[in-house]
């Protein structure tokens, strides 16, 4: 049974995205070095990197990879946060904040590099991400963000009103903040493509197998589903 046998919600992604790999349900006892609960972006990425490190991995997914938010979002790849700026993050969290800022800075490139490395066909376009400015007063916010992200090595640029008009085809904006590492992707295709790579690398993904309990027993983790 594969993803074509599950009733997917009506959406553009579900309508245009090829089915993912055929995945069994968890039935009976299985053992692994690591069990990952959830087959979204985070779970599949974790499984992939654990396999690269040589660990035996099993993924337990309630429905199918990409069924939840990982397959239903709008596909924007945005290497920043909506509110906190880099200096705010570092001031509050110190060294951990510095590591997080570096991860944010590189997050889009990490994603697109991964799709290129494993030839994942997800309609990906790394053509940049633009945050247009809707009032003259908010230009200062864009200026601050360009200044701070440039300080930490991000490929950002402040756009004039004319530049935004040329890029977006609209005269409604007063300028903008451009990060050239961002872009767009089909999130469901990414989820299914990641699942295929994880399986090819030897990990096991069990679909339609929601975890019903997690317990620590004899120094190991025991995860139960309805059948396994």
């Amino acid at each position: 049974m594969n993803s074509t046998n599950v009733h997917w919600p009506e959406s553009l992604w579900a309508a245009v995205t090829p089915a993912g790999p055929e995945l069994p349900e968890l039935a009976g006892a299985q053992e692994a070095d690591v069990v990952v609960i959830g087959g979204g972006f985070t779970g599949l990425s974790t499984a992939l990197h654990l396999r690269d490190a040589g660990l035996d991995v099993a993924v337990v997914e309630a429905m199918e990879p990409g069924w939840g938010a990982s397959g239903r979002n709008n596909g924007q790849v945005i290497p920043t946060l909506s509110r906190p700026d880099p200096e705010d993050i570092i001031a509050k969290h110190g060294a951990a904040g510095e590591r997080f800022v570096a991860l944010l800075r590189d997050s889009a490139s990490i994603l697109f590099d991964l799709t290129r490395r494993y030839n994942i066909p997800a309609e990906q376009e790394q053509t940049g991400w633009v945050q247009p400015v809707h009032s003259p007063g908010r230009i200062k916010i864009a200026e601050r963000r360009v200044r701070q992200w440039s300080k930490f090595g991000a490929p950002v640029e402040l756009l004039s009103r004319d530049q935004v008009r040329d890029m977006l085809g609209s005269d409604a904006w007063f300028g903008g903040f451009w990060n050239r590492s961002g872009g767009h992707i089909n999130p469901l295709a990414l989820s299914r493509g990641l699942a295929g790579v994880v399986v090819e690398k030897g990990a096991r993904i069990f679909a339609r197998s929601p975890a019903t309990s997690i317990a620590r027993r004899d120094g190991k983790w025991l995860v139960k589903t309805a059948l396994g």
Side-chain angles (χ1 to χ4, degrees):
M1 184 175 184
N2 62 24
S3 56
T4 59
N5 302 112
V6 174
H7 178 69
W8 283 79
E10 292 184 6
S11 72
L12 169 65
W13 305 128
V16 303
T17 304
E22 294 189 9
L23 301 171
E25 296 181 27
L26 176 59
Q30 296 277 343
E31 290 190 3
D33 296 326
V34 180
V35 58
V36 177
I37 299 176
F41 294 152
T42 303
L44 293 171
S45 177
T46 299
L48 174 58
H49 288 87
L50 288 170
R51 281 301 299 146
D52 284 342
L55 295 174
D56 181 27
V57 184
V59 180
V60 178
E61 161 60 32
M63 291 297 292
E64 295 279 344
W67 173 265
S70 292
R72 306 191 200 192
N73 63 81
N74 64 16
Q76 293 186 63
V77 183
I78 304 174
T80 184
L81 299 179
S82 59
R83 292 184 181 275
D85 291 326
E87 291 178 358
D88 300 329
I89 296 170
I90 292 172
K92 184 173 183 179
H93 300 288
E98 292 181 2
R99 295 193 298 272
F100 184 59
V101 165
L103 177 62
L104 277 175
R105 178 197 63 208
D106 299 337
S107 57
S109 292
I110 290 170
L111 170 61
F112 288 115
D113 288 347
L114 184 145
T115 63
R116 287 187 283 263
R117 184 183 315 131
Y118 294 109
N119 296 313
I120 296 174
E123 305 172 48
Q124 56 268 38
E125 294 185 5
Q126 193 175 12
T127 51
W129 171 76
V130 176
Q131 183 178 58
V133 174
H134 66 266
S135 69
R138 293 186 69 85
I139 286 288
K140 292 183 178 180
I141 296 176
E143 291 174 344
R144 183 185 73 236
R145 288 179 173 169
V146 168
R147 182 178 65 253
Q148 289 198 24
W149 279 110
S150 295
K151 175 181 175 181
F152 293 99
V156 295
E157 183 178 333
L158 186 69
L159 300 175
S160 68
R161 184 170 192 163
D162 289 343
Q163 287 174 307
V164 173
R165 183 195 62 229
D166 292 343
M167 293 177 75
L168 304 183
S170 171
D171 289 315
W173 310 106
F174 293 84
F177 165 43
W178 185 29
N179 188 312
R180 293 187 297 277
S181 71
H184 191 268
I185 200 163
N186 175 332
L188 182 56
L190 174 61
S191 298
R192 291 176 174 176
L194 281 172
V197 173
V198 168
V199 171
E200 288 174 5
K201 283 182 165 287
R204 290 159 286 164
I205 302 177
F206 299 103
R208 303 168 303 282
S209 303
T212 57
S213 67
I214 308 171
R216 187 75 170 166
R217 183 178 298 174
D218 299 327
K220 297 181 179 181
W221 289 104
L222 178 65
V223 179
K224 289 186 178 182
T225 67
L227 302 176

